[in-house]
Amino acid sequence: MSGFIQVRDAIRNFLRRFDEAITPFFCFIAAWFMFWSINNLYGYSELFERGIVVFLLSVICALVSAPMAVLIGSAVIIFNCFFVSKEIGIIAVLVFIIIYCMYMRMFPDCAWILFFVPIMYIFKLTYAIPLIVAIFAGASGMVPAAIGIFLYKFALGVSDVNSMLLTAVKKEDVDIYSYLIDNVLKDKDMLLTAIVFAIVILLTFFIYKLPFDYSWYVAIGVGGIINVLAFMIVGVMMDMEIPFGSLVFGSFIGILVTVVVQVCKRLVDYSRKEVVQFEDDDYYYYVKAIPKYGVSEKKKTVKKMTGKSGANVEKASEEDANMQNNQPRNTKKNAQNNSGRNSYGDNQPVRPNNR
């Protein structure tokens, strides 16, 4: 345990020391994944598939706030949608205006979830999303998780519309609005997935905040079990095809990621828990204190030298000690001499008392 704590503290101290350089670097990596996922789902314009364009946009997103980076990603999606058709572009504009007014202005700290969910869909780790969102964002992550699911389904609908437009003899024959409404807004899979995500996020976050020992790890384990059971029950009741292997593997990945993050963020020693109770004129106070695991710093030890050099060292130390002991006496003696001076001047002698 001590070795792991030393490694964790060393990494944490390194990140804190070079925070000004490391934070933009991680933001650049996150922005690169965001534009990679956009090109994977909405890659209709060759402009944003160029490496130099993706690199420059990632650099810009690394230097601005997270909500501004999400707005840049939204603009790229809208630009790609206009390459499919004007109708799709207008729908995309309306969708992101609604998203911005409904959520991003009220909860800007969770804006990263909007593009995190589609990325997890691309990597086939859909069922790990609710546990990770519950630990990182809490109950406020339900809405952006649902919006992320909608963005992924909307991308699939836009892809189908693009294929229909390419194969149609007349583009006017394709009813874009009806198709998107029937296949995206009325998608039963999307609605049930959003509901299950909300249930898992709420229960995991609720248990996570309960004041009992090991509540963090119990919340993660219970959240993983509920995630598997809820999707299985929904799949049986609604006749949905839920891949059991992907469900178990995704839940396991979610549990593993959240446990590692929790251990790196907060590792406490419940065996040394203390409960304190006190009161004042107005309230009773009940305080539970749980110490964190830590590695004590090694104390410096002074080795005693033997032989002549050691004798000289001990002799010098004795002389230093005598000087320190005599210093208060000399100070006291000087104070007595100074007190003997009269108020007319420091250089005038005090007349002795012959009585």
Side-chain angles (χ1 to χ4, degrees):
M1 180 66 71
S2 60
F4 171 77
I5 296 175
Q6 288 179 351
V7 174
R8 184 199 65 178
D9 293 341
I11 296 174
R12 183 182 297 177
N13 294 333
F14 176 81
L15 294 176
R16 289 175 179 174
R17 182 178 179 183
F18 301 99
D19 180 67
E20 295 181 356
I22 293 176
T23 300
F25 174 75
F26 281 113
C27 292
F28 171 82
I29 298 298
W32 187 87
F33 271 105
M34 180 181 70
F35 290 113
W36 172 81
S37 65
I38 291 174
N39 289 329
N40 194 297
L41 297 173
Y42 299 91
Y44 305 108
S45 174
E46 296 180 358
L47 174 63
F48 295 102
E49 293 182 354
R50 299 176 182 176
I52 186 63
V53 176
V54 174
F55 176 80
L56 292 176
L57 289 175
S58 301
V59 170
I60 294 172
C61 291
L63 301 177
V64 298
S65 61
M68 185 60 64
V70 172
L71 287 177
I72 295 174
S74 303
V76 173
I77 292 176
I78 294 172
F79 187 85
N80 279 280
C81 288
F82 272 105
F83 267 80
V84 179
S85 69
K86 294 181 180 179
E87 292 82 1
I88 295 294
I90 293 172
I91 293 174
V93 171
L94 295 176
V95 165
F96 282 103
I97 289 176
I98 294 172
I99 292 173
Y100 180 77
C101 295
M102 181 178 66
Y103 190 80
M104 288 181 61
R105 287 183 60 86
M106 294 184 292
F107 302 97
D109 294 336
C110 298
W112 58 272
I113 301 177
L114 300 180
F115 289 102
F116 168 75
V117 173
I119 291 174
M120 298 296 284
Y121 265 98
I122 294 174
F123 283 107
K124 308 299 182 182
L125 296 174
T126 309
Y127 304 104
I129 294 172
L131 289 175
I132 297 175
V133 172
I135 299 302
F136 279 92
S140 60
M142 292 187 301
V143 177
I147 296 174
I149 298 171
F150 171 77
L151 291 178
Y152 178 75
K153 297 295 183 179
F154 180 73
L156 298 182
V158 172
S159 177
D160 293 339
V161 170
N162 183 58
S163 300
M164 294 168 60
L165 292 174
L166 292 176
T167 56
V169 179
K170 293 182 180 180
K171 295 184 178 181
E172 292 79 6
D173 296 337
V174 180
D175 193 352
I176 297 175
Y177 299 105
S178 299
Y179 183 83
L180 290 178
I181 291 173
D182 294 336
N183 292 274
V184 177
L185 295 180
K186 296 182 180 180
D187 188 357
K188 181 177 66 175
D189 185 14
M190 180 186 70
L191 295 176
L192 293 176
T193 302
I195 293 173
V196 173
F197 276 17
I199 293 173
V200 175
I201 291 171
L202 275 178
L203 290 177
T204 304
F205 182 71
F206 176 75
I207 299 174
Y208 186 85
K209 290 297 182 180
L210 290 178
F212 64 87
D213 294 354
Y214 303 99
S215 61
W216 305 325
Y217 306 105
V218 172
I220 295 171
V222 172
I225 296 174
I226 294 174
N227 190 40
V228 174
L229 293 178
F231 274 105
M232 290 179 63
I233 293 172
V234 169
V236 172
M237 293 178 60
M238 299 299 174
D239 196 17
M240 294 172 53
E241 294 183 2
I242 304 296
F244 183 76
S246 299
L247 175 61
V248 174
F249 179 74
S251 301
F252 173 76
I253 293 297
I255 292 173
L256 181 63
V257 171
T258 50
V259 167
V260 171
V261 171
Q262 185 62 39
V263 169
C264 293
K265 181 174 65 174
R266 193 180 296 114
L267 186 62
V268 298
D269 186 5
Y270 287 100
S271 63
R272 295 190 293 147
K273 178 182 66 175
E274 297 180 3
V275 179
V276 181
Q277 175 183 350
F278 57 94
E279 64 176 292
D280 59 10
D281 295 336
D282 299 322
Y283 296 96
Y284 285 96
Y285 300 92
Y286 299 90
V287 180
K288 182 172 69 173
I290 306 175
K292 295 181 180 180
Y293 276 107
V295 179
S296 59
E297 297 181 357
K298 295 182 180 180
K299 296 182 180 180
K300 296 181 179 179
T301 57
V302 179
K303 296 182 179 179
K304 293 184 179 181
M305 305 296 294
T306 58
K308 295 182 179 181
S309 59
N312 294 332
V313 171
E314 292 179 358
K315 185 176 180 180
S317 62
E318 291 178 359
E319 291 178 356
D320 294 338
N322 293 331
M323 291 176 65
Q324 292 178 359
N325 294 330
N326 292 332
Q327 185 175 1
R329 298 178 182 177
N330 296 333
T331 305
K332 185 176 181 181
K333 186 176 181 180
N334 294 333
Q336 292 177 355
N337 293 335
N338 292 332
S339 65
R341 298 175 182 174
N342 57 9
S343 60
Y344 294 100
D346 295 339
N347 296 326
Q348 295 181 3
V350 180
R351 294 180 181 179
N353 190 357
N354 296 326
R355 295 180 183 180

